Amino acid sequence: MTPTNTAPKPAPIIDMDLDQDGDDGHGSAYGITDREATLQARHQTETLGQRPGSLIIREGALKPRLFLYSYDDTTFIEAEYPRYDDLWAAFRARPELKHWIDVRGYGDLSLMERLMEDFDLHPLQMEDVLGDYQRAKVDVFGDNRLFLVSRMTDFTSELEIDDDQLSVFTGPNYVITFQDDYEDCLDSLRNRLRGNFSTTKRRPSLYLAYALTDVVIDHYFPTMAAIGDYLEGLEDRIFSERRERRMLNRILRIKKDIVRFRRLVYPERDKISEILRLPDEVMPEEIKVYFKDAYDHSMQALDLAESYRENITSLTELFLSDQSNRMNEVMKVLTIISAIFIPLSFVAGVYGMNFQRESPPQGPNPLNMPELYQPWGYPAVLSLMGLMVIGQLYYFWRKGWLSKQR
Amino acid sequence: MTPTNTAPKPAPIIDMDLDQDGDDGHGSAYGITDREATLQARHQTETLGQRPGSLIIREGALKPRLFLYSYDDTTFIEAEYPRYDDLWAAFRARPELKHWIDVRGYGDLSLMERLMEDFDLHPLQMEDVLGDYQRAKVDVFGDNRLFLVSRMTDFTSELEIDDDQLSVFTGPNYVITFQDDYEDCLDSLRNRLRGNFSTTKRRPSLYLAYALTDVVIDHYFPTMAAIGDYLEGLEDRIFSERRERRMLNRILRIKKDIVRFRRLVYPERDKISEILRLPDEVMPEEIKVYFKDAYDHSMQALDLAESYRENITSLTELFLSDQSNRMNEVMKVLTIISAIFIPLSFVAGVYGMNFQRESPPQGPNPLNMPELYQPWGYPAVLSLMGLMVIGQLYYFWRKGWLSKQR
Amino acid sequence: MTPTNTAPKPAPIIDMDLDQDGDDGHGSAYGITDREATLQARHQTETLGQRPGSLIIREGALKPRLFLYSYDDTTFIEAEYPRYDDLWAAFRARPELKHWIDVRGYGDLSLMERLMEDFDLHPLQMEDVLGDYQRAKVDVFGDNRLFLVSRMTDFTSELEIDDDQLSVFTGPNYVITFQDDYEDCLDSLRNRLRGNFSTTKRRPSLYLAYALTDVVIDHYFPTMAAIGDYLEGLEDRIFSERRERRMLNRILRIKKDIVRFRRLVYPERDKISEILRLPDEVMPEEIKVYFKDAYDHSMQALDLAESYRENITSLTELFLSDQSNRMNEVMKVLTIISAIFIPLSFVAGVYGMNFQRESPPQGPNPLNMPELYQPWGYPAVLSLMGLMVIGQLYYFWRKGWLSKQR
Amino acid sequence: MTPTNTAPKPAPIIDMDLDQDGDDGHGSAYGITDREATLQARHQTETLGQRPGSLIIREGALKPRLFLYSYDDTTFIEAEYPRYDDLWAAFRARPELKHWIDVRGYGDLSLMERLMEDFDLHPLQMEDVLGDYQRAKVDVFGDNRLFLVSRMTDFTSELEIDDDQLSVFTGPNYVITFQDDYEDCLDSLRNRLRGNFSTTKRRPSLYLAYALTDVVIDHYFPTMAAIGDYLEGLEDRIFSERRERRMLNRILRIKKDIVRFRRLVYPERDKISEILRLPDEVMPEEIKVYFKDAYDHSMQALDLAESYRENITSLTELFLSDQSNRMNEVMKVLTIISAIFIPLSFVAGVYGMNFQRESPPQGPNPLNMPELYQPWGYPAVLSLMGLMVIGQLYYFWRKGWLSKQR
Amino acid sequence: MTPTNTAPKPAPIIDMDLDQDGDDGHGSAYGITDREATLQARHQTETLGQRPGSLIIREGALKPRLFLYSYDDTTFIEAEYPRYDDLWAAFRARPELKHWIDVRGYGDLSLMERLMEDFDLHPLQMEDVLGDYQRAKVDVFGDNRLFLVSRMTDFTSELEIDDDQLSVFTGPNYVITFQDDYEDCLDSLRNRLRGNFSTTKRRPSLYLAYALTDVVIDHYFPTMAAIGDYLEGLEDRIFSERRERRMLNRILRIKKDIVRFRRLVYPERDKISEILRLPDEVMPEEIKVYFKDAYDHSMQALDLAESYRENITSLTELFLSDQSNRMNEVMKVLTIISAIFIPLSFVAGVYGMNFQRESPPQGPNPLNMPELYQPWGYPAVLSLMGLMVIGQLYYFWRKGWLSKQR
């Protein structure tokens, strides 16, 4: 129960040495198609034919770990319970406290069913929890209980957005959360609870649901910051003399991430907007003020995503124009060299460079290349060639072909 | 009446050996235009001039097969009736049970008219059933009966989305379904009914209408999964050294499928959204909870389709950039070879390579190519050529033209 | 009064021998800009300065022909009246029947003014009728009368969408329609009226207004079918070895048609949607059921148009990629020939092919091309050239440049 | 007070001799950026730091001319008043008439202030009038007075849309209009008032506000007609053999006009739509009927603009494809000539064309180019060359490179 | 307390000598990705893990300067207070006046907390103030107090839009503003207050909140004007003979600015639109009239931004077409030179230019190049070459390749 280190996690730094990024074991070698979407479709296919509300534990699900945080203005009790019965007993023993039941990992069907029963959760909701592909949403159930789904994002060093589902159920004096991983982005909130000055502890348990939503949204920004840094890095490299391979590939890959991020955040914003329209007996005005703040934050995250999306379009245009420019440059080299040497070769071909040759026996015919028999013939032709070269270079210089133009 | 095998059908695997795909007997050789749309327009043209609500059996319609599933909490009776009168008798004999009348195939006009009459269906609705091109929709008729249309999709191995119409009419204690094929995607639902633990059997017959909708939506995901796999396969092949022919063709063809899929799913989502807004006496709250779940699933399917659509755009950009790159490479080969050999040819042309030739009788004129008369003339020119080659190769290497750049 | 042949008109077949299509007398030679739009703008310019509601007969308007169809459940009387007074008398003589007054052609101002007065039509409405460029719309006037405008489409063999306006006014026991042409797409409806089993005859005259709308919408599908066939034809021809000239031109021309079609159908859908929201005293529920069906049909027509529009985008991308591919192929031919022969020419140039030449008097200098004096010199150089050719062909084959790549 | 000639102004004809259009004194040489927008921004910058509602006369504003038209069913009095006091007196003298006070030119601040005071106008409204950059809008002020802004367009022969603001204030029995120019598009309305059959004169003064709006909208069509004609002209010229310079420039310039036109007309439509939603005591139903007609017209104008916008996209695609085709043609010429002559040159280079040369003293070595010593050598090589040319021409002809392909 | 010079700031003029703009110390070298967005994401990352509503002073925040402007119809008192207690005393001493408390700089946490407490501000609002990345918005708090956020823009000479946050709180007789910089765009408003004729002084303090919003919106126009001027400059330069480097880069950079500007102004418009819908007890009708005017101005700013955005698209198309044209020109030079000289070289190669050579001992063979032995051989070949050149030049001239085509 020692408080863990919760220094704010810095925005991940993506190694710009990108040349290896085709080899990191993705489904496809380049990562432009949305693999997560396909995985989701496949997973939903697997559950095909089940009756609605039937609980299915996905293969590889972690064994659940159970935590209980009980608090009021002055108290804070925190424990991990290996057995659910102990947790249930502890929870029932202190009805005057507010409780956060924190379930991490889904790998125990009977436990899930007991939770469903003890806390009166609907099978369809529990199916959403375990399915792990639910968009952010809010459902009102019972009289005034809420079922909230958020998606927590993380930007991995493989340029992928990793997202996990956080499912939250509220009750009169408790909040239950489900997630499929032991690690999450909620440690900062746990630490605030452990501290002495937490406003969360003084407020009703519904505030905890807000606090969870808020932490998730706040974690969208490091992802965005990492994407922004990566974009700036890409931009710097588009024009570099020796462009890396597959630059467009990288642009499109980060575009895929941004598109996915928007797909995650839009429902989040809609969810909060729906919460703000809930009647006051479900969501009291004093908590709505906080959700209004969360709404502003989700709008800011969307603004950033839209902004980056526009940037991606610009980068793509720039890349394609640069590609065209490089072709242009190749053509210029070809044209300049051909334009200079093909005419020179012709001149050399005409004269055969047989200057000062023996006069034919009958004497040189003045119509037939008499200049070949002159002593100044060779220097004259050389000068002609030189003049041709100078003339063409001047022409190309005036056209600006000799300088680099990007 | 043996329960058929209903193991969830795996997502179809599309053979990536695509080179034959131009020869599979489509309307057009490449499958980019939406043939289904044209077929629909042609079919609607054929019914031109009929009065609204007139029933027309399409050519080639299958002879109807009639099934009746009767159930309550504890009972389940299932039978196929070759004659409609028997089915009608069986249905009337047990008013205390809930019934699913399952009509497969439309090829009997008088039967259709009897059904219309016995179950009090509107001619316009029956026209929608037989027309088979109705978008997903919901109509309320009578006092609180529903007419639901869904579109069942299948992704064939020829990269086409095959969609069939499922028409559902609800009544006080029965549900009638119409479809034009003997095969469908509802076997999993039938099997659940046959089992002992079906919640469907305990609930009102309206729940069956939900269950049918839910199964149809669930079958969108294998289609999406197959499309996603195909996209990843395409992506891997764009960069392969010997690109197959007609790559863009394939990209655009799968794009057509995705666009069609969206056209099918959008009305489905709107239909459910309309159901959720129905008054409680038509659609009780307890069933709405389930439709809300179906709504979430339809949103997920749309999310996937949108995601793939973005991917298609990226793949197209990548393809076009790669095409441009390949041209660039051709140009580089031309430029490098021309740039090296054209100047060399010029040098060879100037000297005519007539080294160590006989001095002319009057002795060599020092102005006229005296180097031809020197013993070191040939090696010197060879060295000059060698230096030119090295210089140019260095220039091209520094520009990065000698390495592959994609 | 003999019933005319009303077999459903087949979808027009567009001759794919398209090479003449630039010469068919359009405004512009290529038909990509929307000439109809310009004609409309010009027409509206001509009426500039008239007071609102002033009736203007367009030049070239046909002389009106007047038809009266009078019917009830069992009666059907049909006649063409050369004089309006006779029609008016016949109409007034049978108030117990329902009447359809069918006016074809606008070229008689005083007749129009009499109709306006006798049937109490608003000058602005009559201006809309004669202007012939009104979008589909519905106006309620009087207490519960309707003014409906529809646009009837036809797809001509010159790849143009020909559209005419059908204006419908409803009254207590009659419907008046106006159109500017003698030919139309309503013959199937007239024939149904002539038959014995017409439901139209049993229903209030408002149903006739529905039936007219429905026939117009049904005629959108042959147009769509023709466009679909044409698109498939275009697709097949994009890749043909000897592509016809102006392929993109044709793609963009049909795109213009599709865009125009959408412009016609969107207001039609909005019109019906507005009808469905009319209060029951204006539009009784029993007729609304039919308009709901017409709404579904208009949605289907829009779906088709959207689908074709996506196809057009794909075809354009395909065309441009193919264009780029053809350039690529030209470059490859150039590169292969240049890359093979330019180095060969250089080798031939170096040796001058003067093998076995006379040794110079002082004997051959071992530094100066001694190989020219060897008997094996010529075969050796020939072999060298052969090896160079083989090496390059291998290189090009391995790069896949020798096979066609589209 | 003589009625001026008001024959409807023909749609302007734009001289298609476009080569001079870069030199007509625009801000930028090519007219693609929206100069009007920049001028507007600059003007708004100039008024920076003024308090809201402060009146500023723009430099160069014309001296106001004041007209008063007074009318009822049978009367029509029209006069220009050099002094405002006379106009005011005339206006006050006949309270039983309806009046149109027509102010042209803004260049007199004190006059503007008197008008503001006498007719009880809000300073913010007056600021809108003088600012001259207000979008079309409607404000209700006082109890039921209206402030309407319209934008009058004109299409100049320099391919620019010239727009002026028409500001209209309504009162119990009068209408005041403001515009900054002496010339306008309202003469047709004035002439109708002068005539004997004007419905305007019989209707309340609010109808005049409608009539003004209607005339402005009607004048959008000549602009659209001129743009349409210009587009058709452009289309014809894209393919002409000797394409004019800067074709894309012209396409983009007219696109800018169309975009600007839409920006002007959209608010106009929204304005009328807002008028149609005004309560009946502000806008009586009998006038709304007319505004509904104006709404239809504004929708038609928007339809035309959208249509042209699509055309512009098609023209741009066509232009770019044609540009690419022209490059393709250049490459083909290069390739054909190179492919024919480079191999020929090689053959000529090999043989040196030294046929029938002296046998070397030791006799010709049978390994070394023995064909040079044969009498048939030269004709044989010439025939070989001829065959090569024929073969290549056949190859190019079969590929279709010898015919023009656009 | 001397009134500072408040002549309206002219629109900034951006130096068009753009070649240095890569070196001005941006994050990325080219400025196409939205650096501000990344900075915002990073800043929000830094505050991660803080409890909502916790105040964090950003590093480098300026020490606050405190100004108090107290006024009524006839009074105006203005002072800067180094100590907050003095300001507080002065504010409390004159409750009959209206006050503007103007806080510039955030660098003092305890001061911020005192302000929050004294003026009863919500911690979440104060967090928004200090966070400095809030979109424009309006919150109602307390009974009828407003919290308004605006974003003030400035267009720097480095082509960046510099935006600062202005936070405004209203109270019964005061307005508090916060901004993080000592310089702002509000001096014109302060000067108006100092003057004698300020309407602001006569109106309730809420009018001051409007006046602040209005000044901020008015300052959008100089930014737009500068962008417009820059665009016109860019347009002029696209076609210049020696195009500067990185032209597309500049186009995309200014596009980024326009996109950012829209992101700033859209929320501003929505904010005002929300204000206009506030109930009259929070926002009286007399002030709403003014906000309606501000709404019109924000729409105008958005119109300008949309217009420029379209222009950018056109400029990009123009640039890319010009880039393609330049390549075309390079190809033409190559083709013309190659097409002329390669055939000439072939002719020269055939004849070896050995005219009038010694007849071989056995006499010239009439089959083997007899023309070499004729006196007219050389002039004939020269003429042949001349004819070839003339023919090709004519061909190229007719194709229009010899004139410049852009």
Side-chain angles (χ1 to χ4, degrees), chain A residues 165-183:
Chain A
Q165 180 170 326
L166 176 70
S167 310
V168 180
F169 295 90
T170 65
N173 70 333
Y174 59 89
V175 160
I176 319 174
T177 63
F178 292 88
Q179 64 192 73
D180 75 345
D181 209 349
Y182 297 155
E183 298 295 312

Side-chain angles (χ1 to χ4, degrees), chain A residues 49-113:
Chain A
Q50 304 298 329
R51 77 160 193 277
S54 57
L55 302 189
I56 294 162
I57 304 293
R58 299 175 63 180
E59 213 171 307
L62 296 176
K63 186 178 166 318
R65 293 178 64 185
L66 303 165
F67 297 82
L68 179 67
Y69 309 87
S70 307
Y71 60 92
D72 65 4
D73 297 21
T74 52
T75 325
F76 182 75
I77 309 169
E78 170 181 14
E80 179 175 1
Y81 294 88
R83 296 182 50 246
Y84 172 69
D85 291 323
D86 299 340
L87 182 143
W88 180 244
F91 168 69
R92 296 302 295 263
R94 302 287 300 268
E96 79 284 6
L97 291 183
K98 289 164 277 190
H99 302 273
W100 172 13
I101 300 153
D102 178 6
V103 184
R104 308 187 203 167
Y106 302 148
D108 182 343
L109 183 57
S110 65
L111 173 61
M112 294 298 138
E113 285 169 343

Side-chain angles (χ1 to χ4, degrees), chain B residues 287-332:
Chain B
I287 309 286
K288 265 189 196 164
V289 168
Y290 289 91
F291 273 110
K292 181 107 180 49
D293 191 60
Y295 183 81
D296 287 346
H297 290 185
S298 66
M299 282 304 295
Q300 283 163 18
L302 278 178
D303 265 10
L304 291 178
E306 295 298 343
S307 193
Y308 287 146
R309 212 172 133 72
E310 293 271 0
N311 295 163
I312 284 285
T313 307
S314 290
L315 285 184
T316 308
E317 272 177 355
L318 207 57
F319 170 84
L320 293 175
S321 163
D322 184 62
Q323 192 181 38
S324 175
N325 248 330
R326 283 169 198 258
M327 168 118 52
N328 212 336
E329 223 176 302
V330 171
M331 293 306 308
K332 273 185 202 157

Side-chain angles (χ1 to χ4, degrees), chain A residues 192 218 229 232 235-236 296 300 303 307-308 310-311 321 331 350 365 367-369 399 406, chain E residues 28-35 38 42 44 48 50-51 135 137 246 323 329 331 353 356 378:
Chain A
R192 293 208 316 258
D218 280 354
D229 288 344
E232 288 187 21
E235 186 186 326
D236 284 346
D296 287 345
Q300 283 163 17
D303 265 8
S307 191
Y308 287 145
E310 293 270 0
N311 295 163
S321 163
M331 293 305 308
V350 165
N365 177 338
L367 287 174
N368 283 338
M369 314 189 82
K399 270 186 145 14
R406 286 201 184 154
Chain E
S28 91
Y30 305 97
I32 289 164
T33 48
D34 190 346
R35 184 161 186 68
T38 309
R42 270 201 215 131
Q44 309 243 43
L48 208 69
Q50 303 299 329
R51 79 161 190 276
R135 293 154 50 100
K137 69 162 181 178
R246 283 183 289 151
Q323 192 180 37
E329 222 176 305
M331 293 306 307
M353 304 323 259
Q356 199 193 22
Y378 181 60

Side-chain angles (χ1 to χ4, degrees), chain B residues 367-400:
Chain B
L367 287 174
N368 283 338
M369 315 189 81
E371 56 274 36
L372 287 181
Y373 307 96
Q374 306 301 335
W376 44 261
Y378 183 58
V381 169
L382 276 194
S383 311
L384 172 67
M385 289 176 171
L387 283 176
M388 283 167 69
V389 171
I390 290 170
Q392 286 186 310
L393 287 178
Y394 175 72
Y395 175 77
F396 294 138
W397 171 82
R398 232 194 22 170
K399 270 184 144 20

Side-chain angles (χ1 to χ4, degrees), chain A residues 28-35 38 42 44 48 50-51 135 137 246 323 329 331 353 356 378, chain B residues 192 210 218 229 232 235-236 296 300 303 307-308 311 321 331 350 365 367-369 399 406:
Chain A
S28 91
Y30 305 98
I32 288 164
T33 49
D34 190 346
R35 183 160 186 69
T38 309
R42 269 200 216 133
Q44 308 243 42
L48 208 69
Q50 304 298 329
R51 77 160 193 277
R135 293 153 50 100
K137 69 161 182 179
R246 284 183 287 151
Q323 193 180 36
E329 221 175 307
M331 293 305 308
M353 305 322 258
Q356 197 191 26
Y378 182 60
Chain B
R192 292 204 321 255
Y210 154 72
D218 280 355
D229 289 343
E232 288 188 21
E235 185 187 326
D236 284 346
D296 287 346
Q300 283 163 18
D303 265 10
S307 193
Y308 287 146
N311 295 163
S321 163
M331 293 306 308
V350 165
N365 177 338
L367 287 174
N368 283 338
M369 315 189 81
K399 270 184 144 20
R406 287 201 184 155

